[in-house]
């Protein structure tokens, strides 16, 4: 193996740069040249790349975002796009391609494999942590900390004015950030897509939970963490409805893309470094069509299709903690 390519695709995540750095340094250790494609799969189609030297990855382990940039690429999903990408990889004599991204990126990897015979490996890079087969994805731990810091700050003003605050976090199809942030911040309520697969939460029960909290603790702050897009009209509409039901000031806070930025925390830097180095070793060993993940502190090789064909489950004990700690109905007779 003489030449490895790497790209970042889809939503950016803190720790992607750490993964790029690991791929470059490990490749150079084995005397393998590294090509970095820019702007995701667009770079494959447009042959937009740069040769990555060790000096190019100095001091990027602490940086958020991705030095290779990222983008969506509809043109790549066509057969013509797949063939063009394969031809470009062949023209550069690329032996293996490492793709850092989420399930959409891995579907793109499978698509590319229909037209190109080189080795294709993936690293899970998404703050949503919704990739099956790995305990955590690159960027997830930082996103939790970012959400947590914001919620802690909101709690201060919520206490000062004894208000309800609805904090919308990312994860439209997966509640990993929402659940972890709710438990860590001591939020009184959390709304997650996994908890309401058939029906929306009942507005009366949400308002009743708030009123019970007020009955037990007196006038106080109340934090509800809400995954994005779970409520029609969003948290602004939900805040208005709860205000009307309870008569208590209710303010929405949408954290948005701030959760995707920032310097990666230590756990994301470690995870990205381990996965990046292992991916280079796996490529040199002839492995292909797999995502490199970590399970129980062991590196694992997961076929691409297995990363999306089964929904990743939330931590059941975290759910138990969140639900039991704030089961106010049970405790209403023992204030």
């Amino acid at each position: 193996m003489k030449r490895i390519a790497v790209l970042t695709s889809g939503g950016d995540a803190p720790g992607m740069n750490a993964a790029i750095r690991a791929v470059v340094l490990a490749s150079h250790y084995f005397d393998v040249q590294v090509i970095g494609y820019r702007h995701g799969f667009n770079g494959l189609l447009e042959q937009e790349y740069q040769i990555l030297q060790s000096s190019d990855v100095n001091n990027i382990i602490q940086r958020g975002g991705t030095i290779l940039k990222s983008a969506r690429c509809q043109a790549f999903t066509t057969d013509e796009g797949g063939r063009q990408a394969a031809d470009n990889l062949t023209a550069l004599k690329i032996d293996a391609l490492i793709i850092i991204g989420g399930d959409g990126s891995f579907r793109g990897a499978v698509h590319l494999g229909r037209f190109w015979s080189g080795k294709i490996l993936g690293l899970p890079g998404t703050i949503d942590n919704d990739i099956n087969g790995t305990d955590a994805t690159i960027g997830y731990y930082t996103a939790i900390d970012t959400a947590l810091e914001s919620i802690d700050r909101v709690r201060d003003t919520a206490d000062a004015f004894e208000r309800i605050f609805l904090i919308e976090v990312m994860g439209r199809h997966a509640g990993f950030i929402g659940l972890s942030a709710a438990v860590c911040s001591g939020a009184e309520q959390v709304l997650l897509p996994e908890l309401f697969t058939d029906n929306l939460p009942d507005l009366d029960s949400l308002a009743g939970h708030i009123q019970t909290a007020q009955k037990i603790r007196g006038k106080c702050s109340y934090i509800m963490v809400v995954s994005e897009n779970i409520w029609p009209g969003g948290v602004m509409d939900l805040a208005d409805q709860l205000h009307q039901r309870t008569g208590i000031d209710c303010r929405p806070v949408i954290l948005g893309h701030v959760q995707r930025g920032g310097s990666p925390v230590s756990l994301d830097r470690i995870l990205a470094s381990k996965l990046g180095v292992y991916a280079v070793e796996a490529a040199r060993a002839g492995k292909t069509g797999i995502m490199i993940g970590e399970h129980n502190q062991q590196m694992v090789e997961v076929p691409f299709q297995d990363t999306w064909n089964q929904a990743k489950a939330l931590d059941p004990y975290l759910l138990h903690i969140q639900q039991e700690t704030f089961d106010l109905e049970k405790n209403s007779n023992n204030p």
Side-chain angles (χ1 to χ4, degrees):
M1 183 162 289
K2 297 297 183 182
R3 185 173 284 186
I4 287 177
V6 60
L7 63 82
T8 51
S9 173
D12 59 301
M16 281 185 166
N17 280 329
I20 294 169
R21 173 181 178 273
V23 169
V24 171
L25 296 183
S27 296
H28 289 176
Y29 176 82
F30 293 113
D31 197 26
V32 175
Q33 189 179 54
V34 182
I35 298 295
Y37 277 103
R38 295 174 60 81
H39 302 110
F41 290 112
N42 291 283
L44 283 183
L45 297 184
E46 299 172 11
Q47 204 67 308
E48 181 187 7
Y49 68 90
Q50 65 185 96
I51 297 174
L52 291 175
Q53 307 290 353
S54 297
S55 57
D56 294 317
V57 296
N58 285 343
N59 300 321
I60 68 168
I61 194 171
Q62 75 274 21
R63 290 172 54 185
T66 162
I67 62 169
L68 293 177
K69 311 301 180 183
S70 188
R72 317 285 181 182
C73 185
Q74 187 63 35
F76 172 74
T77 63
T78 66
D79 286 355
E80 181 182 356
R83 292 190 190 95
Q84 181 63 50
D87 290 343
N88 288 344
L89 287 165
T90 300
L92 283 183
K93 298 181 180 180
I94 302 297
D95 299 303
L97 173 65
I98 297 175
I99 299 169
I100 308 170
D103 65 329
S105 302
F106 295 162
R107 291 175 192 270
V110 171
H111 174 66
L112 177 62
R114 295 171 50 208
F115 307 99
W116 187 58
S117 60
K119 313 305 179 189
I120 308 175
L121 301 95
L123 302 184
T126 167
I127 67 169
D128 291 341
N129 195 35
D130 58 350
I131 304 297
N132 189 50
T134 184
D135 291 340
T137 57
I138 297 167
Y140 170 58
Y141 294 116
T142 306
I144 294 172
D145 278 9
T146 300
L148 177 60
E149 180 181 2
S150 298
I151 296 171
D152 286 347
R153 291 175 183 271
V154 168
R155 176 69 81 174
D156 290 341
T157 190
D159 278 340
F161 284 90
E162 297 170 325
R163 284 174 174 158
I164 305 167
F165 273 86
L166 308 186
I167 315 295
E168 182 184 277
V169 299
M170 280 186 158
R172 69 179 60 189
H173 301 302
F176 293 93
I177 296 175
L179 177 58
S180 295
V183 171
C184 292
S185 66
E188 282 76 15
Q189 185 67 271
V190 61
L191 304 185
L192 310 171
E194 293 87 345
L195 300 181
F196 306 103
T197 55
D198 298 322
N199 300 299
L200 286 170
D202 180 68
L203 188 62
D204 288 333
S205 67
L206 294 180
H209 194 275
I210 295 170
Q211 291 164 339
T212 301
Q214 298 268 317
K215 175 184 175 182
I216 293 173
R217 303 186 306 196
K219 197 174 182 183
C220 60
S221 65
Y222 187 99
I223 298 290
M224 183 184 299
V225 176
V226 184
S227 292
E228 61 181 333
N229 291 341
I230 197 173
W231 192 267
V235 292
M236 296 185 69
D237 180 65
L238 180 56
D240 287 339
Q241 294 187 56
L242 288 174
H243 172 64
Q244 294 172 13
R245 296 292 181 100
T246 64
I248 305 170
D249 283 341
C250 187
R251 303 296 176 89
V253 176
I254 301 174
L255 298 186
H257 286 71
V258 68
Q259 296 160 94
R260 293 224 308 237
S263 181
V265 299
S266 60
L267 288 174
D268 277 323
R269 300 186 197 192
I270 291 170
L271 177 64
S273 298
K274 292 165 73 174
L275 298 183
V277 171
Y278 191 93
V280 172
E281 294 174 346
R284 295 185 69 250
K287 306 292 180 65
T288 189
I290 56 174
M291 175 199 76
I292 306 303
E294 183 179 37
H295 178 61
N296 292 335
Q297 297 185 323
Q298 298 293 321
M299 296 294 98
V300 293
E301 303 169 2
V302 184
F304 280 131
Q305 290 86 346
D306 290 348
T307 65
W308 70 72
N309 63 10
Q310 180 178 346
K312 186 175 181 179
L314 296 173
D315 185 330
Y317 202 70
L318 275 187
L319 280 173
H320 168 74
I321 291 171
Q322 178 65 30
Q323 292 170 341
E324 288 296 315
T325 300
F326 295 103
D327 192 345
L328 298 173
E329 294 295 334
K330 288 183 179 179
N331 297 325
S332 60
N333 295 323
N334 300 289

